[in-house]
């Protein structure tokens, strides 16, 4: 897509993380793992846990696969860090979360509070008749076991579910299952025998069989403006880059009229509000925002496509037919009219770096590294 956009971060900035070694620090133990690209004589991990002091905590080897390890006590919440290999500061290549510290991109993890238990979704299985989720329970630091009578599954309104069955299958495992039709999202709560409750976990149960494994699903991608209006088929836009007038209600009508029979997933183009008018591309042609990739608002649906209620109606209609809905999002750039573009820290490029869409930095070759 061409036109006026402001890029906020380099596209490669979504790399990241793992953990390491003995230190006399408060918090819960976290394991850092790092495999050097070549032969590294000294690798350390530094971070918020000890105010980024150097030298950091040394990572030790001993594994045949080349991974180095350190165990570090971390306080609960977001913890930033980097690896330093023979003096070179390196992002964690395993965990895909990064942030910034004093202008430098660093890795981060959300460290759990080991003073309370936790529960995580391990797997969800689906068939035409039944959906089952398995959750694993991790005790608090005290080691107190799961209390079976504490297990509660709640509906969205907070009421205890009358249709989702529960079972504690061991000291550290919980199973919930649902026989029925359509998507069901529930909240699972559990505590240990000392009465400390884990953070609730949301689980989606969907016994639909067809398309349960997305690798075997038929995914239908829809450019909403180009698809269908509330009244039916669209006329050609006035220009190839102009708007055609497709809407969310048009997509819903197509679904309800049977035009998408056999589709397991519909993937909608970005719905954020986009600018009016046309903008000159770097090829001299004029382009509009029909595609949705020039957001000017973070949490508003483009009124030309529909309303929040229109989107809810489409999703409800899809779910009642066992069709999933995927929303395309634009995480790495905004249009120049977006409020974010006027805030400090956002940039259209970095001197000496590859800027997306310029003559020397085309999108196709450089999309994973350009600004």
């Amino acid at each position: 897509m061409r036109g006026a956009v402001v890029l906020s971060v380099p596209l490669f900035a979504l790399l990241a993380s793992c953990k390491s070694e003995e230190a006399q620090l408060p918090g819960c133990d976290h394991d850092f793992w790092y495999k050097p690209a070549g032969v590294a004589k000294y690798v350390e991990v530094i971070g918020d846990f000890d105010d980024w002091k150097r030298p950091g905590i040394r990572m030790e080897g001993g594994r045949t696969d080349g991974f180095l390890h350190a165990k570090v006590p971390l306080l609960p919440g977001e913890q930033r860090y980097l690896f330093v290999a023979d003096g070179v500061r390196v992002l964690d290549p395993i965990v895909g979360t990064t942030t910034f510290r004093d202008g430098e991109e660093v890795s981060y993890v959300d460290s759990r509070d080991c003073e309370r238990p936790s529960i995580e979704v391990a797997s969800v299985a689906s068939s035409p008749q039944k959906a089952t989720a398995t959750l694993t329970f991790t005790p608090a630091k005290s080691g107190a076991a799961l209390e079976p009578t504490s297990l509660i599954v709640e509906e969205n309104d907070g009421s205890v579910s009358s249709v989702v069955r529960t079972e504690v299958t061991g000291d550290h495992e919980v199973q919930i299952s649902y026989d029925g039709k359509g998507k069901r999202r529930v909240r699972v709560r559990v505590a240990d025998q000392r009465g400390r409750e884990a953070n609730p976990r949301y689980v989606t149960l969907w016994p639909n069989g067809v398309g349960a494994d997305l690798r075997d699903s038929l995914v239908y991608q829809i450019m909403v403006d180009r698809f269908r209006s509330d009244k039916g088929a669209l006329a050609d836009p006035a220009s190839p880059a102009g708007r055609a007038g497709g809407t969310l209600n048009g997509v819903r009508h197509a679904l309800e009229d049977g035009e998408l029979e056999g589709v397991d997933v519909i993937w909608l183009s970005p719905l954020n509000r986009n600018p009016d008018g046309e903008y000159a591309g770097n090829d001299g042609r004029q382009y509009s925002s029909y595609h949705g990739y020039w957001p000017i608002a973070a949490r508003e649906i483009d009124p030309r496509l529909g309303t929040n209620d229109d989107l809810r109606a489409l999703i409800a209609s899809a779910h009642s037919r066992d069709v999933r809905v995927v929303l395309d999002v634009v995480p790495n750039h905004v249009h120049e009219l977006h409020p974010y573009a006027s805030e400090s820290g956002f940039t259209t490029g970095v001197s000496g770096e590859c800027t997306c869409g310029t003559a020397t930095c085309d999108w196709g070759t450089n999309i994973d590294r350009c600004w």
Side-chain angles (χ1 to χ4, degrees):
M1 299 299 174
R2 296 180 175 86
V5 296
V6 177
L7 299 187
S8 58
V9 294
L11 301 183
F12 63 77
L14 302 176
L15 289 172
S17 171
C18 238
K19 312 259 159 181
S20 192
E21 177 106 356
E22 283 93 61
Q24 301 304 312
L25 297 169
C28 306
D29 287 345
H30 184 94
D31 292 299
F32 287 91
W33 296 93
Y34 176 66
K35 185 176 182 178
V39 178
K41 296 179 180 177
Y42 190 93
V43 179
E44 56 193 295
V45 57
I46 59 176
D48 289 335
F49 50 83
D50 61 355
D51 201 26
W52 297 83
K53 109 182 147 178
R54 295 287 312 280
I57 297 172
R58 184 167 187 174
M59 305 188 71
E60 302 291 348
R63 290 171 56 109
T64 57
D65 59 9
F67 272 94
L68 304 178
H69 172 258
K71 188 183 292 292
V72 181
L74 299 182
L75 294 174
E78 183 177 306
Q79 298 290 316
R80 302 171 298 175
Y81 67 98
L82 282 174
F83 298 128
V84 183
D86 289 340
V88 178
R89 299 160 80 93
V90 183
L91 288 170
D92 187 330
I94 299 175
V95 175
T97 46
T98 66
T99 185
F100 288 85
R101 174 183 178 269
D102 297 336
E104 179 183 26
E105 187 179 11
V106 298
S107 298
Y108 83 87
V109 293
D110 283 315
S111 177
R112 82 178 189 93
D113 181 357
C114 60
E115 298 301 328
R116 63 186 299 181
S118 66
I119 187 166
E120 303 292 341
V121 180
S123 65
V124 180
S126 181
S127 71
Q129 293 81 31
K130 184 177 182 180
T132 302
T134 301
L135 297 93
T136 54
F137 174 87
T138 301
K141 211 170 185 178
S142 66
L146 181 154
E147 172 52 60
T149 61
S150 71
L151 178 59
I152 296 175
V153 177
E154 297 174 332
E155 302 287 358
N156 283 335
D157 62 3
S159 63
V160 177
S161 177
S162 60
V163 295
V164 176
R165 294 190 299 278
T166 63
E167 181 182 6
V168 177
T169 57
D171 291 340
H172 303 293
E173 188 173 280
V174 168
Q175 281 197 344
I176 62 173
S177 58
Y178 168 61
D179 299 335
K181 183 173 175 57
K183 176 182 177 182
R184 195 168 210 95
R185 187 169 185 257
V186 295
R187 182 170 55 245
V188 180
R189 295 171 53 192
V190 71
D192 64 19
Q193 292 179 356
R194 293 191 177 183
R196 287 170 296 194
E197 188 171 338
N199 286 328
R201 280 288 172 262
Y202 283 92
V203 183
T204 297
L205 301 170
W206 201 338
N208 70 330
V210 177
D213 187 339
L214 293 181
R215 292 171 298 182
D216 298 326
S217 297
L218 175 60
V219 181
Y220 192 97
Q221 186 176 15
I222 295 175
M223 185 73 71
V224 178
D225 175 77
R226 292 290 199 262
F227 186 66
R228 176 173 164 167
S229 75
D230 297 26
K231 298 178 181 179
L234 300 169
D236 291 340
S239 67
R243 285 186 171 268
T247 64
L248 291 168
N249 281 334
V251 178
R252 178 171 60 82
H253 292 325
L255 187 67
E256 294 171 353
D257 291 346
E259 294 180 23
L260 301 177
E261 190 69 34
V263 170
D264 301 310
V265 182
I266 54 175
W267 173 6
L268 302 177
S269 55
L271 303 178
N272 295 78
R273 182 189 287 271
N274 271 233
D276 296 323
E278 296 187 345
Y279 291 78
N282 55 20
D283 60 355
R285 295 186 175 93
Q286 295 294 112
Y287 293 87
S288 78
S289 62
Y290 73 90
H291 43 74
Y293 287 94
W294 298 347
I296 62 172
R299 294 179 174 86
E300 294 180 35
I301 291 179
D302 196 303
R304 289 164 291 195
L305 303 178
T307 66
N308 289 347
D309 286 341
D310 292 339
L311 178 58
R312 292 188 183 100
L314 169 57
I315 292 172
S317 182
H319 287 177
S320 71
R321 292 167 172 78
D322 283 332
V323 175
R324 290 162 167 78
V325 179
V326 173
L327 301 182
D328 203 333
V329 296
V330 187
N332 66 284
H333 67 265
V334 297
H335 188 270
E336 61 189 8
L337 296 183
H338 197 295
Y340 293 172
S342 61
E343 296 177 4
S344 61
F346 285 81
T347 177
T348 55
V350 175
S351 179
E353 295 289 339
C354 180
T355 301
C356 307
T358 55
T360 57
C361 184
D362 66 282
W363 285 95
T365 306
N366 302 287
I367 193 167
D368 62 345
R369 71 182 191 91
C370 62
W371 287 79

